[in-house]
C-alpha cells in the first residue's frame, strides 16, 4: 500500500512539474507547446553529457546547472523560432501545434544523431534507500516527492507576488490592457517559455535518475501531462497540480490492482467521465 | 484534376519495384491526408484521431481474416463499418469539448489505442504486429502477384475518395460545415445542428481512411503498431498542412510530394526527419496556404472569385 502511494506521488510530482510548464505557457500565450516533452529529454541529456564520465565528467551539480542554463536558452530559442512568428495570426493556436511538433521531430532526431539510440544512465541526485514506515524506498524518490511541491510552491508565489508574475498574469487576462500599462509583452513571453522549459528540464533530471535516458523519453510523460492539463483545466495552476497527483495515484493504483496494460484505459475512462461532467476540467475556467 | 490524372498515369510511369512501392504508399497516404482535411480544413475540427482510424482499420482487417476467417475484400467492408462506428462514438464524446481540448483528447485517444493494442498480444500480436494478413484476390489469384495491381487499387481508392470528398464539400452538408467553421453562432441561429454535422463530418472522413488502412495492411501483409507512431501522425498531418487545408487536392499533392521527398532523403538517415521538420516550419511561415495555394495563385488572375477565396481560407478558425 505504501509503495503504491510512493509510486503515485513520484509520478504525480513529475507530471505536476511538466504539466505546470505547459499550463503556464497556455495561460500566458494561448498556445500549446508540443515540444515540451523534448525539452525534458534535452535537459536530461545535457545533464548527462556534462556530468557523466562518458561525456565531460564534471559531476552532477555542474550537470544540473548546465541543464538549467541550456534550457533557459532552448526555451527562448524555441519561442523565437517556432512561436513568435505566428503569435497574433488568425490560427496561431493550431499552427503552433504544428510548428512545435516539427520542432519536437527535429530535436528528437538531433538527439538520436548526436547521442545514438543506446540507453544512457544519469546519476541519481541522492543515492541509497530510506526506510519510512517500514517500507524501503529510493532516496531519489523521496527527493522528487519533496522537491516538486517546493518548486511548484515557489512558482505559485512567483506568479502571485513578484512583478514578473503579476505581469504574466495580467497578460493572460487581457493582452491589450497589459500592453497599455507598459508591460513588455515580448519579454514576458520569452520569460514564460524559459521558466516552463526549466521546469521540464528539472523533470527530465528526475526521470533520468529513475529510469534510462533515450531520445523518446519525453513523449510518455508529455502524454500524461496532456491528460493532466485537460483533466485539471487548462491555465489553472491549482487545477493542474491537483490533477497531476490524482492521475499519478490513479495510475499507480490501477496498474497494481487491474494490471499495467489496462492503466491507459482506466485513465482515459476517468478523463472522459470528468470532461462529460465538467467540459473545462476540474478547476478550469470556461473558454 | 491534375492530381487525379497523375494518379491514373502513375502506374505507367513507375515500373520498378521501389517506385511502385512508393506510389502505393503515396496514394494511400493521400487518401488519409485528404480525408483528414475534411474535418481539419472544412469542418475546423483539430482532431488527432485520424491516424488511429487508419491503423485500427488495418487491425480489424487483419483480425477478421486471420482469426475469424472472413474472406478477403469483405474484411475491408467490415473495417469501414467498425471505424465508422468508432469515429462516431469518439466524435460524439470529443466534440463536447472545444478547440485545444479536442486536439489533446484525441491525441491521448490515439496513444491509449496503441497501449491497448500492444497489450492484447493474443489478438494483435503485441509490439511485433499481426503478421500474415492474406493477400487480396482477384479472379482466384493473389493481387500481389503483379505489384502494379496495388498501384491501380490505391489509385482507384484515391479517385473514389476524391470524388466523394469533392461532392461532399460542394453539397449543402459541406456548406453547413464551412458555415459552422466560419461563424458558429450565426450558423446555429440559421438552424444548423453543430454537433450532428460535426459528428457526421468525422464519420464521413473516416470511411475512406478505414478502407485505405485495410488495404495498407493487406499490401504490407502485416498490421503493425508502427502505424500509430508520432512520426507517422506528424508526417500525414504535414501532408495535409503543407498541401493546403480546405482544398482536398492540396493534401493529395502534399502526400505525393512528401512521400517522394522522404524517399529521396532516405540516404540521410535520421537527418532526413530534421530536414523535413525544417521544411514544415518554413512552409508554415512563408506559405501559410500550403503548396496548393501557389498553384491557385498562378491561375488566380483568371480564376473566379470563389477560387481566390479558397486561398485565403486556409486553416480553420
Amino acid at each position: 500500500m505504501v509503495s503504491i502511494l510512493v509510486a503515485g506521488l513520484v509520478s504525480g510530482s513529475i507530471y505536476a512539474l511538466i504539466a505546470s510548464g505547459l499550463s503556464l505557457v497556455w495561460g500566458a500565450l494561448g498556445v500549446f507547446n508540443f515540444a515540451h516533452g523534448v525539452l525534458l529529454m534535452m535537459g536530461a541529456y545535457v545533464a548527462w553529457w556534462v556530468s557523466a564520465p562518458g561525456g565531460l565528467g564534471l559531476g552532477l551539480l555542474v550537470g544540473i546547472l548546465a541543464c538549467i542554463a541550456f534550457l533557459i536558452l532552448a526555451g527562448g530559442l524555441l519561442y523565437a523560432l517556432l512561436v513568435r512568428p505566428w503569435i497574433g495570426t488568425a490560427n496561431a493556436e493550431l499552427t503552433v501545434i504544428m510548428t512545435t511538433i516539427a520542432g519536437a521531430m527535429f530535436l528528437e532526431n538531433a538527439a538520436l544523431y548526436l547521442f545514438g539510440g543506446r540507453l544512457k544512465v544519469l546519476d541519481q541526485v541522492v543515492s541509497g534507500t530510506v526506510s519510512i514506515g517500514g517500507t524501503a524506498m529510493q532516496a531519489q524518490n523521496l527527493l522528487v516527492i519533496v522537491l516538486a511541491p517546493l518548486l511548484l510552491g515557489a512558482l505559485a508565489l512567483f506568479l502571485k507576488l513578484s512583478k514578473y508574475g503579476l505581469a504574466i498574469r495580467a497578460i493572460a487576462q487581457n493582452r491589450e490592457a497589459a500592453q497599455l500599462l507598459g508591460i513588455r509583452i515580448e519579454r514576458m513571453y520569452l520569460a514564460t517559455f524559459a521558466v516552463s522549459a526549466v521546469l521540464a528540464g528539472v523533470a527530465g533530471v528526475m526521470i533520468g535518475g529513475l529510469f534510462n535516458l533515450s531520445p523518446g523519453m519525453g513523449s510518455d510523460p508529455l502524454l500524461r501531462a496532456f491528460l493532466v492539463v485537460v483533466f485539471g483545466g487548462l491555465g489553472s495552476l491549482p487545477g493542474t497540480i491537483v490533477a497531476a497527483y490524482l492521475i499519478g495515484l490513479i495510475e499507480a493504483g490501477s496498474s497494481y490492482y487491474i494490471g499495467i496494460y489496462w492503466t491507459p484505459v482506466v485513465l482515459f475512462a476517468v478523463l472522459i467521465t470528468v470532461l462529460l461532467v465538467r467540459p473545462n476540467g476540474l478547476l478550469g475556467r470556461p473558454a | 484534376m491534375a492530381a487525379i490524372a497523375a494518379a491514373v498515369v502513375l502506374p505507367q510511369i513507375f515500373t520498378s519495384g521501389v517506385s511502385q512501392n512508393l506510389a502505393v504508399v503515396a496514394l494511400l497516404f493521400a487518401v488519409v491526408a485528404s480525408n483528414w482535411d475534411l474535418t481539419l480544413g472544412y469542418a475546423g475540427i483539430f482532431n488527432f484521431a485520424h491516424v488511429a482510424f487508419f491503423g485500427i482499420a488495418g487491425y480489424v482487417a487483419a483480425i477478421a481474416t486471420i482469426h475469424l476467417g472472413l474472406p478477403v475484400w469483405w474484411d475491408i467492408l467490415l473495417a469501414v463499418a467498425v471505424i465508422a462506428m468508432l469515429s462516431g462514438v469518439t466524435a460524439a464524446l470529443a466534440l463536447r469539448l472545444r478547440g485545444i481540448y479536442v486536439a489533446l483528447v484525441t491525441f491521448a485517444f490515439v496513444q491509449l489505442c496503441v497501449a491497448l493494442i500492444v497489450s492484447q498480444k493474443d489478438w494483435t500480436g503485441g509490439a511485433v504486429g499481426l503478421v500474415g494478413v492474406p493477400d487480396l484476390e482477384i479472379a482466384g489469384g493473389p493481387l500481389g502477384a503483379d505489384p502494379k495491381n496495388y498501384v491501380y487499387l490505391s489509385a482507384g481508392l484515391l479517385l473514389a475518395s476524391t470524388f466523394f470528398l469533392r461532392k461532399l464539400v460542394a453539397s449543402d452538408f459541406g456548406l453547413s460545415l464551412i458555415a459552422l467553421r466560419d461563424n458558429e453562432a450565426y450558423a446555429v441561429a440559421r438552424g444548423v445542428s453543430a454537433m450532428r454535422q460535426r459528428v457526421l463530418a468525422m464519420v464521413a472522413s473516416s470511411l475512406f481512411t478505414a478502407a485505405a488502412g485495410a488495404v495498407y495492411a493487406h499490401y504490407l501483409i502485416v498490421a503493425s503498431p508502427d502505424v500509430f507512431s508520432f512520426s507517422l501522425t506528424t508526417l500525414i498531418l504535414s501532408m495535409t498542412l503543407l498541401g493546403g487545408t480546405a482544398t482536398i487536392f492540396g493534401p493529395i499533392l502534399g502526400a505525393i510530394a512528401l512521400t517522394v521527398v522522404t524517399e529521396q532523403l532516405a540516404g540521410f538517415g535520421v537527418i532526413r526527419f530534421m530536414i523535413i521538420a525544417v521544411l514544415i516550419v518554413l512552409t508554415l511561415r512563408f506559405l501559410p496556404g500550403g503548396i496548393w495555394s501557389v498553384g491557385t495563385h498562378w491561375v488566380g488572375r483568371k480564376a473566379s472569385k470563389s477560387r481566390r477565396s479558397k486561398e485565403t481560407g486556409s486553416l480553420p478558425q
Side-chain angles (χ1 to χ4, degrees):
Chain A
M1 191 59 210
V2 176
S3 62
I4 298 172
L5 200 63
V6 169
L9 288 176
V10 167
S11 31
S13 301
I14 290 172
Y15 298 160
L17 285 175
I18 306 167
S20 54
L22 278 177
S23 192
L24 194 64
V25 166
W26 170 264
L29 283 84
V31 297
F32 217 85
N33 179 14
F34 271 62
H36 202 67
V38 174
L39 288 175
L40 175 162
M41 176 274 292
M42 287 201 302
Y45 268 93
V46 168
W48 174 83
W49 185 67
V50 173
S51 66
L56 297 178
L58 294 174
L60 193 59
L61 184 67
V62 184
I64 292 174
L65 291 177
C67 158
I68 291 173
F70 177 82
L71 280 169
I72 292 175
L73 205 70
L77 261 179
L78 198 80
Y79 165 72
L81 292 176
L82 301 179
V83 180
R84 192 175 59 190
W86 290 274
I87 288 286
T89 61
N91 304 301
E93 194 180 296
L94 304 179
T95 318
V96 168
I97 291 182
M98 259 329 282
T99 55
T100 50
I101 284 180
M105 187 166 151
F106 183 91
L107 293 169
E108 199 172 313
N109 284 289
L112 197 61
Y113 181 73
L114 290 173
F115 296 104
R118 283 185 58 187
L119 299 174
K120 307 262 184 298
V121 184
L122 187 66
D123 278 346
Q124 301 197 326
V125 179
V126 284
S127 53
T129 56
V130 194
S131 174
I132 289 180
T135 314
M137 61 195 259
Q138 285 188 311
Q140 172 98 359
N141 280 334
L142 191 65
L143 180 77
V144 173
I145 295 177
V146 175
L147 191 63
L150 285 180
L151 274 175
L152 292 169
L155 177 70
L157 283 179
F158 170 77
L159 286 177
K160 201 121 202 138
L161 301 175
S162 79
K163 213 174 82 184
Y164 281 90
L166 285 173
I168 289 177
R169 288 195 300 147
I171 294 172
Q173 281 173 15
N174 189 332
R175 187 186 301 177
E176 272 95 38
Q179 212 159 9
L180 282 173
L181 286 170
I183 293 172
R184 299 168 104 165
I185 302 247
E186 283 282 316
R187 194 185 286 181
M188 287 302 139
Y189 283 174
L190 204 64
T192 309
F193 247 88
V195 169
S196 144
V198 169
L199 287 173
V202 173
V205 172
M206 308 257 179
I207 296 180
L210 294 171
F211 308 99
N212 293 321
L213 271 62
S214 73
M217 67 184 276
S219 65
D220 225 39
L222 181 69
L223 175 68
R224 296 296 192 275
F226 282 170
L227 292 179
V228 166
V229 287
V230 175
F231 194 59
L234 269 170
S236 154
L237 195 59
T240 303
I241 293 170
V242 170
Y245 284 103
L246 271 179
I247 294 234
L249 289 170
I250 293 174
E251 199 177 29
S254 71
S255 46
Y256 182 80
Y257 290 110
I258 308 174
I260 192 160
Y261 288 120
W262 290 97
T263 303
V265 182
V266 172
L267 281 181
F268 203 63
V270 172
L271 178 75
I272 289 291
T273 317
V274 167
L275 287 178
L276 287 179
V277 184
R278 293 188 62 88
N280 291 301
L282 283 178
L283 299 175
R285 306 171 287 228
Chain B
M1 277 302 132
I4 295 180
V8 179
V9 178
L10 273 175
Q12 267 75 36
I13 304 172
F14 295 123
T15 45
S16 79
V18 175
S19 54
Q20 271 167 357
N21 177 50
L22 198 63
V24 172
V25 173
L27 292 166
L28 290 179
F29 284 178
V31 173
V32 183
S34 57
N35 277 281
W36 202 342
D37 190 26
L38 178 66
T39 54
L40 184 67
Y42 285 94
I45 308 164
F46 205 75
N47 90 83
F48 265 105
H50 217 75
V51 171
F53 297 153
F54 180 74
I56 296 170
Y59 272 100
V60 173
I63 290 170
T65 46
I66 294 174
H67 290 304
L68 307 176
L70 198 74
V72 291
W73 297 108
W74 289 101
D75 65 287
I76 299 181
L77 284 180
L78 179 74
V80 171
V82 169
I83 295 300
M85 281 198 297
L86 183 69
S87 68
V89 173
T90 314
L93 286 174
L95 293 179
R96 289 176 56 93
L97 311 170
R98 310 244 131 247
I100 190 86
Y101 282 91
V102 179
L104 296 177
V105 168
T106 49
F107 188 83
F109 167 77
V110 180
Q111 304 307 316
L112 300 175
C113 282
V114 184
L116 193 59
I117 284 175
V118 170
S119 68
Q120 302 305 306
K121 274 200 186 66
D122 297 342
W123 283 90
T124 62
V128 185
L130 195 52
V131 188
V133 184
D135 201 352
L136 290 169
E137 281 170 19
I138 190 157
L143 194 64
D146 182 359
K148 221 187 268 177
N149 288 337
Y150 270 100
V151 182
Y152 282 121
L153 179 65
S154 323
L157 199 62
L158 179 61
L159 255 171
S161 151
T162 309
F163 182 73
F164 170 75
L165 288 172
R166 291 303 305 175
K167 279 278 173 224
L168 198 73
V169 297
S171 70
D172 287 351
F173 174 71
L175 294 176
S176 74
L177 287 182
I178 296 171
L180 278 172
R181 178 195 71 189
D182 291 342
N183 192 336
E184 179 167 344
Y186 188 54
V188 171
R190 299 280 297 186
V192 178
S193 162
M195 189 67 170
R196 194 192 62 203
Q197 301 300 81
R198 287 189 177 135
V199 170
L200 282 176
M202 284 282 279
V203 174
S205 79
S206 74
L207 302 177
F208 277 96
T209 307
V215 169
Y216 192 62
H218 280 293
Y219 174 68
L220 292 182
I221 65 162
V222 55
S224 126
D226 292 349
V227 171
F228 302 98
S229 73
F230 193 48
S231 52
L232 187 69
T233 306
T234 314
L235 192 68
I236 297 185
L237 192 57
S238 316
M239 293 168 178
T240 312
L241 293 179
L242 288 188
T245 48
T247 59
I248 300 296
F249 291 126
I252 296 174
L253 191 66
I256 293 165
L258 256 189
T259 314
V260 172
V261 169
T262 314
E263 179 61 30
Q264 291 301 312
L265 296 175
F268 286 89
V270 295
I271 293 184
R272 96 178 128 157
F273 295 109
M274 296 162 72
I275 298 175
I276 291 172
V278 174
L279 282 179
I280 291 171
V281 174
L282 289 179
T283 313
L284 286 169
R285 180 79 183 89
F286 298 107
L287 274 181
I291 309 171
W292 188 254
S293 71
V294 180
T296 46
H297 189 75
W298 260 4
V299 289
R301 313 257 168 233
K302 281 180 279 179
S304 66
K305 266 185 186 165
S306 69
R307 192 145 198 191
R308 235 174 275 149
S309 71
K310 248 183 241 163
E311 286 172 36
T312 49
S314 54
L315 264 169
Q317 296 295 321

